[in-house]
Amino acid sequence: MSQTYTKILFFILTGIILISCDAAKYVPDEEYLLKKTRILVNEKNADAQLYSYIYQQPNTSFLIPFSLYFYNLGNPEYPKDLKEWSEKYPEKYDLYKRWFSLKQTKNIYGFYKGINNWFLTTGQAPVIYDKIKTKKTVNSFEKYFFNQGFFEVKVDFDEKDVKEKEKEITYKITTNSQYYIDTIEAQISSPVLDSIYKQNIDKTYLKQGTPFVFDLFENEQKRLTRLFRDSGVFHFSSDYIGYWTDSTHIDKYKKIVLKIPNRRRVKGDSVYLEPFQIIKIKDVNVYTDFDLSSLNEQQNVSEVYEGITYYAPEKMEHNPKYLSDAIFIKPGTNYSDLSKELTISHLRRLQNFKTSIKIDYIDNKDGTVTVNIYLVRLKKYAITTNFDATTSNIKPFGILGKFSFLDKNLFKGSEILELSFQGSFFNTSITPTSNEGFFNAWEVLINSSLTIPRIFFPVNTDKIIPKKMSPQTMINLSSGIQKNIGLDRQTLTTGLNYSWRTSKRVGHKLDLYNLQYIENKNIENYFFIYNSEYEKLNLTHENIKGVPLEKNNTVILEYMDEILDPGNDYEQSHPDDYDVVSDVNERYNILIEDIVVPVISYSLNYSTKEDLNDQDFYFFTGRVVSSGTLTSLLATKKNEDGKKTLFGLPIAQYIKTEFEFKKYWDMKNENILVFRTFLGAAFPFGNSDNIPFSRSYNAGGSNDIRAWRTFDLGPGGEINALEYNVGSFKMVTNLEYRFKVFDKIYSALFVDVGNIWDITNSNLVSEAGKFTGLKSLKNSAIGSGFGIRYNFGFLVFRFDIGFKTYEPYLFDQNKWLTNYNFGNAVYNIGINYPF
């Protein structure tokens, strides 16, 4: 069956390519298709980033120009209306008129025209070579290299006919010698600026011996502007900064003169100069509910806190004590751009005011400035609804609906209370029954959270985590119910966490406590969900009693009790069967156990991503989790097994560490290379002999190793028929190349490597499934494949096909490509990118 599908797919793709293989099909006479562009710098291939300076790029291509071929399936000269169509295809028109009515014929024409237009709009029209754009590209390269200090650069291009009506352009760049900076002299008229400049000279971008790169001068201009304004020089702007250059006695070196004149002032018809001065802030006024149409009315109510005057029209809805945490512009301090930016960003983060925050600085006669901050308050109460598509390894595809009630400024300190109800329907491959339809599982979550825009703690933490770090406290309480997902867990979770940012790139999160109660509601169906466990017991029952074991939960449990009863002496009479039953019973007790998981954790995030459009960055996160460490010390009660309990349930005790690194390379033209690696380890101790199932690691799925379904892989090289395979150690590495095919359709090639292992020395895992050192990495699985993605703008629909490339659990020596085919492939549906 799989070979048949493979052949059909092959012939379809081949047919499309053959039908449209004439790339120059719609290239006009005496014109040329731009087939390829090359850049040679000093007779060597150029870096990829230089191609972004080319004004005219060939059609988007990966191996072959799919977008062009797709366009060629259409006809750009297709008749615009039915009359033109009848004139161009009279025989076809007469035939349709005999068979159909005029209205039906119009519909047929409209259908053909719609398909034709779809090919044209979805595909990409041939790029017709334009010599004017080529010359613009030459000028672009000359300017680029000139700005890099290559003042004698030479750029030319060659045209080459590669096929009929197709051209290839090669740009040839000879850089010649690069120029360098010699000495730097500063001529700054204002003593205040000169002093600030000299105190910070070590941070300059312009240093003797560095290449004469124009970007360095722009960076230095920005640095000085920011430095002066953050030092209180309110009236300074970048247009005061000028650079002069002169040649020196040393060849290819330039002397730099930095000139900054005094401040220009206008009085009447006269212009005069005066030295720049540091400006202090005299008064700060905050209009907490600003309305331009009733500005005078807004001063009816006022309150002063820490020298800042707060105004409101009737009632002060926000407590100035807490609102001042978000205002970094203080009376008596020097002006600073940074203070203004921090104030705007922190006020926006409160989510109590509209994002269009206005801050005016007004010059006073005494040389100070008055600051007016205008805030437009959002409505206190809000009801929101949200519908979304979701994806995860366990829930490959789902529909989510969420209804929320929000109370903003709950205690007049910009706190946000959110009460939400969330329902989800999922398609999951791990449901115990297979006849439930496409959406075969559901989940309901009721949640309440309180977000406080500061550290809520009995002790003042401002010296450790100052207000500029955007500290935030979140308190939450939630309850969730699942159906047809494993043993149908019901959870009750409460938590208190703090988050803050020490810089633009570095974020922190501390879960002071996260307490989760986990109850399995569907344990009576355990042996239906874990059918492989029943099959093991059935074999032992046939060996011992000669008949099959009835598939009834009560009967099965009674049978295990009988076998494990020391008085029946099955350990001596049937030792192998006894061991199988003992293992099944131990795993049964682990998986059905209701448990309390009290967690304290800390996470560190580091990202170099500048903005949403940045596609060349890396991201690192590290997390340390401690469960039950403190709670076990405080707990006094124990159960019959000697385990410490809380609310009558055993306390999970373990340590977990996780690290993840992701690197993105922008390969230009919407092509991106992504590398990701994840490493996680969990160690039970004290009150626990194993990791709770919900906190263990699994492998496979649409966001992981895509050649295996979730829970199908591992641990290690162990072969087992378990429906849910988990481990206490995980290592996964992914490499994915994403590229644009045409229009909104993208594709990807990927390789996934990794597995899960056991590091707890569990007797339920064989040696092949345990991680004992680097040699265990030979049991890493490898999957590879390709995917198609459609970008809707607000989300990306993803379809990935993963092929089993290396299977560590196969007994024979040929573990490579044994099941590398469409029949054994895994078809993953996902929303947005996997990482």
Side-chain angles (χ1 to χ4, degrees):
M1 182 67 74
S2 62
Q3 292 181 350
T4 302
Y5 289 148
T6 304
K7 289 178 180 178
I8 292 173
L9 180 63
F10 174 77
F11 283 123
I12 290 174
L13 293 175
T14 303
I16 291 174
I17 293 171
L18 288 176
I19 290 171
S20 54
C21 63
D22 182 7
K25 182 178 180 180
Y26 292 122
V27 175
D29 294 337
E30 299 183 2
E31 300 280 2
Y32 293 89
L33 174 74
L34 180 59
K35 186 71 174 179
K36 184 179 179 181
T37 56
R38 295 179 63 211
I39 305 173
L40 297 177
V41 179
N42 297 328
E43 300 183 349
K44 295 181 180 179
N45 289 324
D47 295 335
Q49 60 94 13
L50 273 182
Y51 283 83
S52 62
Y53 291 88
I54 296 178
Y55 273 82
Q56 188 178 40
Q57 299 279 8
N59 288 93
T60 304
S61 174
F62 182 78
L63 301 181
I64 60 175
F66 282 106
S67 59
L68 175 59
Y69 288 165
F70 207 78
Y71 178 91
N72 286 345
L73 289 172
N75 180 1
E77 298 179 358
Y78 197 81
K80 295 181 175 61
D81 51 38
L82 183 62
K83 181 182 179 182
E84 186 179 332
W85 185 61
S86 65
E87 294 171 353
K88 189 168 185 177
Y89 305 105
E91 295 181 0
K92 185 182 293 187
Y93 179 71
D94 290 340
L95 179 65
Y96 286 153
K97 278 183 65 179
R98 289 198 300 268
W99 287 0
F100 305 105
S101 67
L102 179 60
K103 182 177 180 181
Q104 290 174 325
T105 304
K106 287 182 178 179
N107 291 337
I108 292 171
Y109 160 74
F111 175 74
Y112 286 146
K113 182 180 179 182
I115 292 177
N116 183 78
N117 289 343
W118 184 72
F119 282 127
L120 298 179
T121 56
T122 304
Q124 185 184 23
V127 176
I128 307 302
Y129 172 61
D130 186 340
K131 196 165 188 175
I132 294 176
K133 291 182 178 179
T134 301
K135 291 180 178 179
K136 284 185 177 181
T137 300
V138 169
N139 293 334
S140 176
F141 283 139
E142 288 176 343
K143 182 178 179 181
Y144 170 79
F145 281 96
F146 188 88
N147 289 343
Q148 298 300 309
F150 296 98
F151 299 149
E152 298 164 6
V153 63
K154 302 295 181 184
V155 183
D156 202 353
F157 68 92
D158 284 343
E159 299 178 2
K160 181 181 178 183
D161 295 339
V162 290
K163 282 185 182 180
E164 184 181 359
K165 300 174 74 173
E166 294 183 6
K167 277 189 182 292
E168 177 181 305
I169 307 302
T170 301
Y171 295 97
K172 297 181 177 181
I173 302 170
T174 304
T175 62
N176 293 311
S177 298
Q178 190 174 26
Y179 280 70
Y180 293 86
I181 295 174
D182 188 24
T183 57
I184 302 101
E185 178 186 351
Q187 298 178 5
I188 303 175
S189 301
S190 298
V192 167
L193 297 186
D194 188 54
S195 175
I196 296 171
Y197 174 82
K198 290 177 179 177
Q199 291 173 16
N200 296 272
I201 190 64
D202 57 315
K203 298 180 179 66
T204 182
Y205 288 95
L206 305 178
K207 296 181 180 179
Q208 189 173 15
T210 57
F212 197 105
V213 177
F214 280 44
D215 284 348
L216 295 179
F217 289 83
E218 292 181 7
N219 291 339
E220 180 68 359
Q221 184 184 46
K222 292 176 183 177
R223 183 188 78 88
L224 291 178
T225 302
R226 183 64 185 240
L227 173 64
F228 294 148
R229 290 181 63 83
D230 277 345
S231 299
V233 188
F234 170 65
H235 298 101
F236 188 83
S237 60
S238 60
D239 57 0
Y240 280 99
I241 298 175
Y243 297 103
W244 278 256
T245 64
D246 194 8
S247 300
T248 67
H249 63 283
I250 305 175
D251 190 29
K252 311 301 181 186
Y253 275 76
K254 294 280 188 178
K255 176 183 176 182
I256 309 300
V257 179
L258 165 66
K259 294 184 179 182
I260 302 178
N262 281 327
R263 179 189 173 193
R264 294 182 294 272
R265 298 292 304 272
V266 177
K267 188 174 183 180
D269 296 332
S270 303
V271 177
Y272 64 97
L273 300 176
E274 68 175 23
F276 283 98
Q277 300 295 334
I278 292 176
I279 303 301
K280 285 191 175 293
I281 295 168
K282 185 175 183 180
D283 299 307
V284 178
N285 303 309
V286 180
Y287 297 89
T288 61
D289 194 4
F290 175 69
D291 185 353
L292 186 62
S293 63
S294 56
L295 178 59
N296 294 330
E297 300 175 9
Q298 295 203 26
Q299 301 185 26
N300 292 340
V301 179
S302 65
E303 188 173 335
V304 178
Y305 182 80
E306 293 185 344
I308 300 175
T309 305
Y310 296 84
Y311 294 99
E314 296 177 359
K315 181 181 178 182
M316 193 68 66
E317 296 291 345
H318 288 79
N319 189 332
K321 175 182 178 182
Y322 297 119
L323 195 56
S324 68
D325 290 345
I327 297 175
F328 294 82
I329 304 170
K330 306 292 185 182
T333 62
N334 294 340
Y335 169 84
S336 168
D337 276 354
L338 177 61
S339 297
K340 179 181 178 180
E341 292 166 1
L342 287 173
T343 298
I344 292 174
S345 65
H346 280 64
L347 286 170
R348 286 174 176 168
R349 190 177 60 87
L350 296 179
Q351 300 179 57
N352 273 237
F353 306 98
K354 291 186 177 181
T355 56
S356 54
I357 296 168
K358 183 181 179 184
I359 301 181
D360 285 345
Y361 291 83
I362 302 170
D363 284 304
N364 298 319
K365 292 182 179 180
D366 60 0
T368 61
V369 293
T370 295
V371 182
N372 293 328
I373 303 173
Y374 301 99
L375 307 176
V376 180
R377 193 160 59 92
L378 295 171
K379 291 183 179 180
K380 178 175 174 61
Y381 302 110
I383 294 176
T384 63
T385 57
N386 181 39
F387 296 93
D388 202 356
T390 63
T391 183
S392 69
N393 285 335
I394 297 176
K395 308 161 190 172
F397 184 76
I399 301 296
L400 177 149
K402 184 178 180 181
F403 174 86
S404 300
F405 167 79
L406 290 92
D407 183 343
K408 301 179 181 181
N409 197 35
L410 181 64
F411 302 116
K412 293 192 174 185
S414 299
E415 304 87 359
I416 297 178
L417 173 68
E418 181 178 3
L419 306 176
S420 64
F421 176 87
Q422 178 177 304
S424 309
F425 292 96
F426 299 105
N427 166 260
T428 174
S429 60
I430 60 174
T431 179
T433 57
S434 58
N435 56 353
E436 299 280 340
F438 182 76
F439 290 113
N440 50 16
W442 56 263
E443 183 176 34
V444 171
L445 179 67
I446 300 173
N447 182 69
S448 62
S449 65
L450 178 65
T451 303
I452 305 171
R454 54 192 168 273
I455 298 296
F456 182 69
F457 198 71
V459 178
N460 191 318
T461 60
D462 286 351
K463 291 185 178 180
I464 303 172
I465 306 174
K467 298 168 186 176
K468 68 179 182 179
M469 292 185 180
S470 305
Q472 180 175 282
T473 302
M474 177 173 284
I475 304 169
N476 68 76
L477 175 66
S478 65
S479 178
I481 303 173
Q482 295 178 339
K483 184 64 176 177
N484 278 359
I485 303 177
L487 295 176
D488 295 347
R489 287 186 301 156
Q490 179 174 323
T491 60
L492 181 65
T493 308
T494 181
L496 168 66
N497 69 68
Y498 304 105
S499 61
W500 66 97
R501 302 196 67 83
T502 49
S503 70
K504 181 181 178 181
R505 294 183 171 183
V506 182
H508 308 262
K509 183 180 179 182
L510 173 65
D511 279 282
L512 191 61
Y513 82 86
N514 183 286
L515 181 66
Q516 186 173 58
Y517 162 81
I518 302 173
E519 180 182 2
N520 295 297
K521 306 295 289 185
N522 193 22
I523 61 175
E524 65 274 7
N525 283 333
Y526 178 88
F527 290 101
F528 292 88
I529 297 170
Y530 294 90
N531 185 66
S532 60
E533 298 289 81
Y534 162 76
E535 295 294 342
K536 294 175 185 177
L537 293 177
N538 186 49
L539 288 175
T540 65
H541 194 274
E542 290 180 344
N543 291 339
I544 297 173
K545 300 188 182 275
V547 295
L549 175 63
E550 181 183 348
K551 198 169 186 180
N552 177 284
N553 195 66
T554 302
V555 173
I556 294 172
L557 293 178
E558 290 176 351
Y559 169 67
M560 288 198 298
D561 289 341
E562 177 189 346
I563 299 299
L564 298 177
D565 187 346
N568 295 326
D569 202 29
Y570 283 108
E571 188 173 7
Q572 296 299 323
S573 60
H574 297 80
D576 292 339
D577 294 320
Y578 178 90
D579 287 342
V580 171
V581 175
S582 177
D583 286 351
V584 172
N585 183 69
E586 183 176 349
R587 190 178 291 110
Y588 171 82
N589 290 328
I590 291 172
L591 293 178
I592 70 165
E593 183 179 39
D594 299 333
I595 200 166
V596 173
V597 186
V599 162
I600 298 174
S601 68
Y602 167 75
S603 302
L604 169 70
N605 297 316
Y606 183 90
S607 175
T608 62
K609 190 177 180 70
E610 294 294 332
D611 51 50
L612 291 175
N613 297 320
D614 187 3
Q615 299 294 343
D616 203 310
F617 67 97
Y618 65 87
F619 173 87
F620 169 82
T621 182
R623 185 168 181 249
V624 179
V625 179
S626 172
S627 174
T629 305
L630 181 60
T631 310
S632 294
L633 293 176
L634 300 177
T636 56
K637 295 182 179 181
K638 295 184 178 181
N639 62 14
E640 58 186 14
D641 296 323
K643 302 292 186 181
K644 290 187 175 182
T645 62
L646 182 65
F647 309 127
L649 296 177
I651 300 169
Q653 194 168 11
Y654 62 88
I655 296 290
K656 178 187 279 190
T657 57
E658 296 177 343
F659 303 95
E660 184 178 31
F661 176 80
K662 293 183 286 188
K663 178 71 176 82
Y664 296 74
W665 288 274
D666 188 350
M667 310 300 288
K668 306 304 178 185
N669 299 322
E670 299 186 70
N671 296 337
I672 300 171
L673 180 65
V674 185
F675 171 83
R676 172 204 178 233
T677 188
F678 174 87
L679 177 67
F683 308 90
F685 69 99
N687 208 52
S688 297
D689 299 319
N690 51 74
I691 307 298
F693 177 81
S694 62
R695 305 302 172 97
S696 298
Y697 295 109
N698 62 76
S702 61
N703 300 326
D704 199 74
I705 305 175
R706 284 161 279 187
W708 284 264
R709 292 182 178 87
T710 308
F711 290 111
D712 279 0
L713 180 61
E718 181 175 288
I719 282 193
N720 59 60
L722 288 178
E723 288 76 9
Y724 298 81
N725 296 298
V726 295
S728 50
F729 179 76
K730 181 174 183 177
M731 183 182 295
V732 173
T733 297
N734 312 88
L735 185 67
E736 180 170 285
Y737 181 70
R738 302 168 184 168
F739 55 94
K740 185 173 183 178
V741 180
F742 51 82
D743 194 42
K744 297 181 179 180
I745 298 177
Y746 295 75
S747 186
L749 303 175
F750 59 82
V751 177
D752 305 322
V753 182
N755 210 330
I756 55 172
W757 289 266
D758 174 68
I759 55 174
T760 65
N761 201 29
S762 170
N763 62 291
L764 300 177
V765 180
S766 68
E767 288 302 313
K770 294 180 179 180
F771 190 88
T772 57
L774 293 179
K775 63 179 182 180
S776 298
L777 293 178
K778 68 181 180 181
N779 287 328
S780 296
I782 302 177
S784 59
F786 65 92
I788 298 294
R789 288 86 188 267
Y790 190 89
N791 189 347
F792 287 94
F794 59 93
L795 62 80
V796 175
F797 178 81
R798 175 165 52 92
F799 179 70
D800 291 340
I801 303 177
F803 299 94
K804 296 176 177 62
T805 307
Y806 179 83
E807 301 172 76
Y809 45 78
L810 294 182
F811 283 122
D812 57 25
Q813 295 300 313
N814 188 17
K815 300 182 179 184
W816 287 94
L817 306 177
T818 300
N819 294 301
Y820 196 92
N821 52 58
F822 283 94
N824 290 292
V826 173
Y827 300 87
N828 301 276
I829 293 176
I831 302 298
N832 295 325
Y833 292 107
F835 38 81

